[in-house]
Amino acid sequence: MIKVLSHLLLRRCLQAVLVALLVSTVSFFLMHSLSGDLAFRIAAGRYGYDMVTAAAAEAVRVELGLDRPLLQGLILWWQQLLQFDLGDSYLSSAPVIEEIREQFGHTLQLALSALVLSVVIALPIGLIAGLNPHGWLDRVSLTLSIILRAFPPFLLGILLILLLSSKLGITNAANASHEHGGLFLPALTLALSLAAVSSRVARDAMVEVRRSAYFNFARTKGLSDLLALLRHGIRNAAVPVIAYLGVQLVFLMEGVIIIESLFAWPGIGHALAHAVFGRDIPMIQGTAIVMGLLFVLCNTLVDIACMLADPRQRYLASRRADA
Amino acid sequence: MFLCPIHRQPLSIAVAMLSLALLIAMPLMAATDSTKTSLSIVGPWEVSTLEPSRAGYLFLRMQVAEALISTDLEGKPSPGLAERWQVSADGLDWRFFLRPQARFHDGSPVTAASVVMNLQRALSQPGVLSMAPVTGIIAAAPGEVSITLSKPYAMLPMLLAHSSAIILAPAAYNDKGHVRKMLGSGPYQLVRQTLPQQLELALSPHWQGKQPAIKQIHYLSASRPETRALIAESHQADLVFGFDPASMQRLRNNPKVVVKEADLARTITLKLNSGHRFLNNAETRQALSLAINRAGIAKGILRTPELAADQLLPPGIAQWHQTGAGFPKLHTDLERAKALLSAQGWQPGPDGILQRNGERFALKLNAFPDRPELPIIATALQEQFRKLGIEIKVIITNSSEIPLGHRTGTLEMGLVPRNFALVPDPFVALNQDFKTGGGDWGAMQWQNSQVPALLEKIASDTDPDAQARYRHDIILTLQQELPVIPISWYRLPVAVHPQLKGVKVDPLEQSYYISDMYWSSK
Amino acid sequence: MSAWWQQLPLARRSGAVLLVLILVAALLAPSLAPDAVSQDLERVLLAPSLEQPLGTDHLGRNMLARLTHALQLSFSLALLSVISAAIIGISLGLLAAWRGGVIEAVLTSIADAVMTLPVLLVVLLFSAFAQGEFWSLYIGLSFALWVEYFRVSRATIKATLVSAPVESARMLGFGNFYLLRRHLLPELAPVVGTLMLFGISTAILALAALGFVGVGLRPPTPELGVMMIELFPYYEEAPWLIASPVVTLGLIMLALALLGGRKEMP
């Protein structure tokens, strides 16, 4: 067991290093393949189009040492990464790591809210649907689930903005101000996407529970459906749903890139799109590396959780580790 | 460094619950009355840094920071941090006398030394101050700053009014010279910030001037115009700036919102490479101008017919806008345009594109997406020039490609939303654009000596009538020569809460005049 | 044929029908409404009519023409990237499985690293190379997608290489090419087919998402995501305009999802 686990961790660590290398190399080439003049571009990003002039561009060139030879630049780039130094943002001049720290808090807040909201939505629907498989609620929720799964989160987001913001005037579409409840729409969008699947997981789990001996025993004891559900159903059906949340974390990471941009939620995904738009290469590198590493981390956690939870998985993992 | 995480809420289930609760509790946040002292503002501007050269404009407009000189609604210089100033007879030595009781937000007095430090810093950074032939900035006496020039420059006060020349307390800077805290000298001080989206301001205890009715300000940046429109419609903010044409249409029809508009000194122009072999004579450039359907663009894209530009500057910029009956305005006449081109030897080819000596009349047009209407206008121009027989390839790229293309001489056409109010007097930007050799955002390889000479005369001649005549001649020459072709003007729409009074919209975007606003119960 | 069709689950059948309908529309309609570029600023935001079945957009352009051009663009870019990704992935998978050793180790590590990154993140990174250009999106998509084919083909080929029929074919002295054609590719085909279906849906979606956020293709290109962001401001004045790209993208996703069968992850 320990051997398998350490093997897994080693493998994931290697993966993390590779991800960082890959992203940073792509970023470096990105920087040196930019069409046009880098100093001009950065000046445009910094000072806005009203103030981009040859003079401003020259000032940027000197400040950032952009006239360095390629090889020297590459070595410097690597050195910085080795020292866990992601550099300063071209646009704001603040250290990238500080900006990311700030944004990451927002992303985490959004992701967790979405996760919680998805459970709140999915669990009751799944349980009730599972109580009466092939009943009308089951069918409706299945159809909804298929449609929701087909709809990518950003499409769902647009639809929600159109429906809620304009018609009901509930909440404004893109707003980072927490006082205004700006968190709700992006979280709901992600949560619905998540719930589309987890409600089915919950439903299947509930069907299993219903077939099980203890549930039937509870029924024969004379407990009503509802009571039997409350006593035995929820807990047992919740286990696979909770386990499934780990898998969903991975999906969430991808979802935030677009959802944050759509709702202008000041998280790491929004920052990445912003950086791409403004050609802020240190920010692109920083956010992409952090997201990549998070992905590795999520995958590792899911692996470990599965291994601990399920002996079959443990066996499979050990085989995978040997392969 | 200058990122101050303020509300880092505990990351827990509570967050989701809280947001749900807020959602339910939110509608109609506050009923207003005359005792209200707070103001919430929403605008498109993101504050990614506190650096004056990049974000100074917002702190100047919000009256957090002051420059030596301020401007009034007509763009004339008025006292800022300097209560008065004088210039020596030879025009080389300027003296600025600071407001004696002025204090920074950390309580320290505004001294001549701190002003000198800020101005010297502004001089070394990208900005406008370096346009003046400055030879020295010194603290001549307590409360007295002297700026010496190598030759007279009448526009110096205008440069000093620019947001990159705001004066901050010495404690605002860290040891690396970066701005660490926003410590200005205006009526409002920065209390909290969540960069790049939120600012919270409050009345500064060190402000000695007239006490404003508005005491707390909350600024929120929202990047999408549709969103800002929704915020305005639902009264979630009191002052909302900037809308897209579609939302404007809706807001105008909404009785619950008051929309104020001011002409901005900003014009969308088509910058032409007048040295290009196709474009090197005024007749061809006139033909291009005649082919542009400005009314269609203003009506169809900007949704405001009055914005079609018949000259370089809009009516709101009265000094420069020409209203004389005999003044020839830009208009559309496709037949005349075709005739002008055929007189140049251009004949339609088999594909409808004009040809001359076996060369097709094909040009590249650079535009950039920072303002959403620019790519749309570029495609509209593409279509309108196609009707004239000119093939345009639209390149949507980074804004910096235009000054870069200007420098390398490779630019053919560029769509430019030129801001003539970079400093409050349009003269400075016009001088930048049309002086001999042209400017990054203005004329390119344009052979003309008249306009540069007139510009020099304005700078030296102080007689107002003569100046008005020069301005007329400049605009007229530009109208005939068309080194840049004006297409449309801009307006700054502001949605105002019906009970908020004293709102002034500054066409030069120097100030929001928040300290003059107040709430009324009606 | 009909028996095979009857055998398919209802969901798959309806997915196939839907997809065929969308494709037919994408292929045929441009000949009915060929002009996706011409503007008419006097006739903007028109409601659907006989002459303009989907109305006109904010520049008076024919929405039907723009929508179908966008469909063609999305499908061709998606198909192109998926096919490239499949060819590259399978070739490298073959190479790794056949040669093993260092080559396999290196390729597998790279694939693992790419696999770790979300598709959208990879495409976003590459799109920064040349913003708004077709080719940077194409390379980004291919680079993000090849790993799946690599992993699947490597695993399948490794398993097939040691299977009894291949062993005996080898003993009989058949060449590598024969083995590849006769034994390996048939094993791979169904898996790769499913993967490609998912790949196409991923690619179309990524394209639209990037266009929508403003870092993909640029106006005036008719592209689904670009159209959505262009038409979004008019949702109240002309709701049918924003509806058409949104509904179209939704239908494509639905058709591909139904056709591809149950996906494990959202």
Side-chain angles (χ1 to χ4, degrees):
Chain A
M1 179 69 194
I2 299 293
K3 183 181 157 241
V4 177
L5 196 67
S6 59
H7 203 109
L8 176 95
L9 286 179
L10 195 72
R11 199 182 134 97
R12 289 299 191 186
C13 278
L14 186 75
Q15 223 175 45
V17 173
L18 271 168
V19 164
L21 281 181
L22 192 77
V23 170
S24 112
T25 313
V26 170
S27 307
F28 184 78
F29 284 115
L30 176 61
M31 175 149 133
H32 288 273
S33 73
L34 286 186
S35 63
D37 188 304
L38 189 57
F40 268 89
R41 290 203 172 237
I42 296 169
R46 273 192 185 180
Y47 305 111
Y49 46 84
D50 280 345
M51 297 294 290
V52 199
T53 55
E58 250 356 272
V60 167
R61 200 187 305 278
V62 172
E63 185 196 322
L64 298 178
L66 295 175
D67 37 11
R68 231 179 257 130
L70 190 75
L71 194 67
Q72 202 186 329
L74 179 69
I75 292 168
L76 214 68
W77 196 258
W78 283 110
Q79 269 176 356
Q80 282 186 343
L81 188 68
L82 278 177
Q83 294 160 357
F84 298 100
D85 178 4
L86 294 173
D88 292 349
S89 158
Y90 282 167
L91 298 189
S92 72
S93 301
V96 168
I97 197 77
E98 282 186 20
E99 302 229 328
I100 290 179
R101 197 179 302 143
E102 170 83 16
Q103 292 147 0
F104 186 60
H106 291 287
T107 297
L108 213 57
Q109 189 186 0
L110 173 61
L112 289 179
S113 312
L115 220 50
V116 171
L117 205 54
S118 84
V119 174
V120 171
I121 298 170
L123 210 52
I125 294 181
L127 292 184
I128 299 171
L131 263 184
N132 190 4
H134 308 295
W136 67 269
L137 187 79
D138 189 22
R139 282 165 197 280
V140 169
S141 79
L142 176 65
T143 315
L144 274 178
S145 155
I146 290 176
I147 294 173
L148 277 181
R149 260 183 285 173
F151 266 58
F154 89 92
L155 219 49
L156 207 59
I158 298 177
L159 288 176
L160 283 179
I161 292 178
L162 294 180
L163 283 177
L164 296 183
S165 298
S166 66
K167 296 304 165 216
L168 310 179
I170 291 188
T171 178
N172 50 64
N175 188 342
S177 129
H178 306 176
E179 297 88 341
H180 289 188
L183 178 61
F184 181 69
L185 269 189
L188 180 66
T189 309
L190 286 170
L192 281 177
S193 291
L194 295 175
V197 183
S198 50
S199 69
R200 299 313 292 173
V201 173
R203 179 257 183 203
D204 291 350
M206 189 58 212
V207 173
E208 283 290 309
V209 169
R210 243 179 62 101
R211 281 209 211 102
S212 66
Y214 58 81
F215 189 80
N216 281 322
F217 177 69
R219 292 283 307 280
T220 46
K221 256 191 342 194
L223 289 181
S224 71
D225 256 14
L226 184 69
L227 258 161
L229 174 76
L230 288 176
R231 283 267 177 92
H232 304 277
I234 289 183
R235 215 182 39 169
N236 285 292
V239 172
V241 176
I242 302 285
Y244 192 72
L245 289 182
V247 181
Q248 292 192 318
L249 270 180
V250 178
F251 164 79
L252 264 175
M253 289 301 302
E254 193 162 23
V256 292
I257 299 181
I258 294 300
I259 290 304
E260 287 186 350
S261 302
L262 176 61
F263 292 96
W265 182 256
I268 198 164
H270 184 221
L272 179 63
H274 216 76
V276 169
F277 196 80
R279 303 277 182 131
D280 187 350
I281 293 154
M283 273 305 282
I284 296 179
Q285 172 180 260
T287 42
I289 286 181
V290 169
M291 289 193 81
L293 294 184
L294 275 174
F295 232 60
V296 177
L297 184 72
C298 286
N299 280 324
T300 314
L301 290 179
V302 170
D303 279 0
I304 294 175
C306 289
M307 239 166 68
L308 297 178
D310 183 351
R312 279 171 304 174
Q313 284 289 331
R314 219 176 304 163
Y315 168 71
L316 281 177
S318 70
R319 263 194 29 179
R320 224 184 298 150
D322 293 339
Chain B
M1 201 171 59
F2 36 66
L3 288 162
C4 312
I6 311 141
H7 20 235
R8 180 67 59 73
Q9 279 145 339
L11 299 164
S12 63
I13 298 171
V15 175
M17 294 304 148
L18 185 70
S19 72
L20 273 170
L22 277 172
L23 177 83
I24 295 157
M26 213 192 37
L28 295 183
M29 307 232 302
T32 49
D33 57 66
S34 51
T35 58
K36 188 176 168 185
T37 56
S38 67
L39 179 73
S40 80
I41 304 179
V42 171
W45 305 284
E46 283 197 350
V47 200
S48 58
T49 163
L50 301 178
E51 192 57 48
S53 60
R54 294 180 227 168
Y57 66 94
L58 204 57
F59 292 106
L60 186 65
R61 291 177 193 172
M62 301 265 215
Q63 296 171 283
V64 171
E66 290 179 289
L68 273 189
I69 309 288
S70 180
T71 50
D72 59 18
L73 284 170
E74 272 101 56
K76 299 208 185 72
S78 65
L81 203 44
E83 58 177 4
R84 62 194 172 87
W85 58 94
Q86 63 190 41
V87 58
S88 65
D90 60 2
L92 296 180
D93 185 20
W94 292 73
R95 293 278 160 136
F96 298 88
F97 303 92
L98 305 180
R99 198 170 65 229
Q101 71 278 33
R103 282 180 182 274
F104 289 118
H105 296 154
D106 61 351
S108 64
V110 179
T111 62
S114 51
V115 173
V116 169
M117 189 270 283
N118 276 280
L119 291 183
Q120 259 156 1
R121 188 172 186 275
L123 197 58
S124 68
Q125 295 232 336
V128 298
L129 199 53
S130 50
M131 282 180 210
V134 176
T135 54
I137 304 173
I138 53 162
E144 200 178 319
V145 174
S146 145
I147 299 181
T148 47
L149 306 176
S150 60
K151 60 179 187 188
Y153 192 85
M155 287 293 151
L156 184 65
M158 289 299 165
L159 303 187
L160 290 172
H162 187 251
S163 61
S164 63
I166 52 175
I167 309 298
L168 304 183
Y173 299 94
N174 66 7
D175 45 3
K176 278 200 248 166
H178 294 305
V179 179
R180 193 170 52 91
K181 278 193 244 165
M182 179 47 65
L183 294 173
S185 56
Y188 298 105
Q189 65 183 28
L190 184 61
V191 183
R192 292 198 287 187
Q193 80 248 31
T194 314
L195 303 183
Q197 245 134 354
Q198 291 185 73
L199 300 175
E200 264 175 66
L201 313 178
L203 187 62
S204 164
H206 303 291
W207 172 249
Q208 309 286 325
K210 190 178 138 249
Q211 291 295 303
I214 302 292
K215 302 201 189 307
Q216 299 90 28
I217 305 167
H218 179 256
Y219 172 78
L220 175 73
S221 148
S223 55
R224 288 189 189 286
E226 315 84 73
T227 309
R228 295 195 294 272
L230 286 173
I231 293 176
E233 280 175 296
S234 56
H235 284 186
Q236 287 178 47
D238 310 316
L239 211 54
V240 185
F241 288 90
F243 305 104
D244 59 305
S247 307
M248 262 316 283
Q249 206 77 348
R250 212 169 59 237
L251 285 176
R252 284 192 192 120
N253 298 334
N254 186 338
K256 289 190 297 184
V257 183
V258 180
V259 181
K260 298 201 175 207
E261 291 176 79
D263 281 341
L264 289 181
R266 188 190 282 280
T267 308
I268 299 182
T269 62
L270 188 64
K271 174 185 167 88
L272 299 176
N273 179 349
S274 305
H276 190 277
R277 61 186 184 287
F278 295 167
L279 303 172
N280 57 11
N281 61 72
E283 287 74 25
T284 311
R285 299 195 293 265
Q286 283 162 8
L288 288 179
S289 170
L290 287 167
I292 297 173
N293 177 5
R294 295 180 180 81
I297 290 172
K299 184 163 161 267
I301 299 173
L302 304 172
R303 315 297 294 280
T304 312
E306 305 91 279
L307 292 182
D310 57 25
Q311 53 183 294
L312 194 57
L313 286 156
I317 311 301
Q319 278 200 323
W320 288 87
H321 183 81
Q322 302 301 324
T323 48
F327 189 81
K329 294 184 170 162
L330 298 175
H331 59 281
T332 310
D333 186 346
L334 195 58
E335 291 316 307
R336 171 111 183 86
K338 283 182 175 162
L340 278 171
L341 288 185
S342 101
Q344 296 285 321
W346 291 103
Q347 292 305 325
D351 56 352
I353 300 302
L354 296 170
Q355 293 193 342
R356 186 172 70 181
N357 307 332
E359 256 189 321
R360 285 158 51 89
F361 203 146
L363 290 169
K364 292 197 284 274
L365 167 60
N366 277 38
F368 53 92
D370 302 41
R371 278 182 177 258
E373 65 278 9
L374 291 183
I376 300 175
I377 292 179
T379 56
L381 289 177
Q382 180 184 37
E383 171 72 9
Q384 291 167 10
F385 286 149
R386 195 179 59 79
K387 286 182 184 147
L388 180 61
I390 299 174
E391 186 179 64
I392 299 289
K393 183 168 189 259
V394 176
I395 303 168
I396 308 292
T397 171
N398 188 276
S399 57
S400 67
E401 294 291 311
I402 290 175
L404 182 64
H406 176 93
R407 293 283 150 158
T408 57
T410 50
L411 184 78
E412 295 179 351
M413 293 175 159
L415 196 62
V416 174
R418 181 60 170 148
N419 180 4
F420 291 103
L422 264 187
V423 301
D425 192 318
F427 170 82
V428 173
L430 285 165
N431 190 38
Q432 236 183 357
D433 286 0
F434 301 109
K435 63 178 187 281
T436 316
D440 286 338
W441 293 100
M444 174 175 178
Q445 300 187 14
W446 178 46
Q447 306 301 329
N448 181 284
S449 51
Q450 244 173 313
V451 171
L454 286 164
L455 285 165
E456 297 229 337
K457 279 189 195 164
I458 292 191
S460 53
D461 198 335
T462 47
D463 172 31
D465 291 339
Q467 284 201 332
R469 220 167 36 243
Y470 300 142
R471 284 195 287 265
H472 169 268
D473 293 350
I474 288 173
I475 297 295
L476 183 66
T477 315
L478 291 178
Q479 202 88 334
Q480 289 157 347
E481 280 279 326
L482 293 166
V484 302
I485 303 179
I487 293 169
S488 73
W489 298 315
Y490 267 111
R491 268 186 193 166
L492 177 67
V494 188
V496 183
H497 192 287
Q499 280 158 306
L500 184 65
K501 304 295 173 198
V503 178
K504 287 178 255 179
V505 187
D506 180 4
L508 301 165
E509 292 188 274
Q510 287 291 301
S511 176
Y512 296 147
Y513 296 97
I514 298 168
S515 57
D516 294 344
M517 294 177 194
Y518 57 95
W519 287 100
S520 95
S521 44
K522 272 179 267 171
Chain C
M1 181 69 191
S2 69
W4 167 81
W5 177 250
Q6 296 290 325
Q7 251 182 6
L8 280 179
L10 178 68
R12 286 199 169 204
R13 269 187 279 165
S14 40
V17 171
L18 194 54
L19 192 63
V20 167
L21 283 178
I22 295 170
L23 283 174
V24 166
L27 291 174
L28 290 188
S31 55
L32 299 175
D35 190 354
V37 186
S38 283
Q39 306 172 356
D40 185 349
L41 293 178
E42 299 297 318
R43 308 180 65 220
V44 299
L45 306 178
L46 291 187
S49 63
L50 270 182
E51 191 196 346
Q52 300 276 5
L54 293 178
T56 61
D57 72 358
H58 56 302
L59 295 177
R61 293 174 297 194
N62 183 335
M63 270 300 283
L64 179 66
R66 288 186 67 73
L67 194 68
T68 49
H69 277 84
L71 277 175
Q72 283 189 343
L73 178 85
S74 291
F75 273 107
S76 42
L77 182 58
L79 213 58
L80 196 65
S81 346
V82 165
I83 289 174
S84 315
I87 292 175
I88 296 168
I90 294 171
S91 316
L92 291 179
L94 258 173
L95 186 73
W98 219 297
R99 283 298 159 97
V102 182
I103 296 181
E104 185 178 12
V106 170
L107 284 173
T108 318
S109 321
I110 295 178
D112 267 5
V114 177
M115 196 76 172
T116 319
L117 298 170
V119 173
L120 206 59
L121 183 63
V122 176
V123 186
L124 205 66
L125 261 180
F126 274 85
S127 76
F129 270 100
Q131 235 180 73
E133 294 284 337
F134 197 80
W135 65 264
S136 65
L137 291 169
Y138 161 62
I139 293 181
L141 280 170
S142 311
F143 188 79
L145 292 174
W146 71 274
V147 285
E148 293 181 29
Y149 303 94
F150 170 80
R151 283 165 59 113
V152 165
S153 58
R154 174 177 153 264
T156 317
I157 292 164
K158 275 196 118 165
T160 323
L161 278 179
V162 294
S163 68
V166 173
E167 292 266 328
S168 53
R170 269 196 169 163
M171 294 232 261
L172 287 170
F174 285 107
N176 285 347
F177 183 70
Y178 173 85
L179 287 178
L180 181 70
R181 202 168 54 93
R182 200 52 206 276
H183 293 282
L184 302 186
L185 290 186
E187 280 288 327
L188 272 179
V191 198
V192 168
T194 315
L195 270 186
M196 283 175 87
L197 224 46
F198 286 136
I200 288 176
S201 113
T202 310
I204 290 180
L205 192 58
L207 196 62
L210 293 188
F212 185 79
V213 180
V215 292
L217 294 172
R218 288 270 172 73
T221 317
E223 192 277 325
L224 292 173
V226 174
M227 287 170 72
M228 285 179 211
I229 193 66
E230 275 184 329
L231 299 171
F232 187 77
Y234 305 96
Y235 67 85
E236 212 171 89
E237 253 178 290
W240 57 89
L241 288 180
I242 175 81
S244 57
V246 167
V247 169
T248 308
L249 185 62
L251 285 179
I252 296 174
M253 291 298 122
L254 190 63
L256 287 169
L258 289 173
L259 189 60
R262 244 188 121 122
K263 232 179 168 184
E264 278 164 41
M265 286 213 331

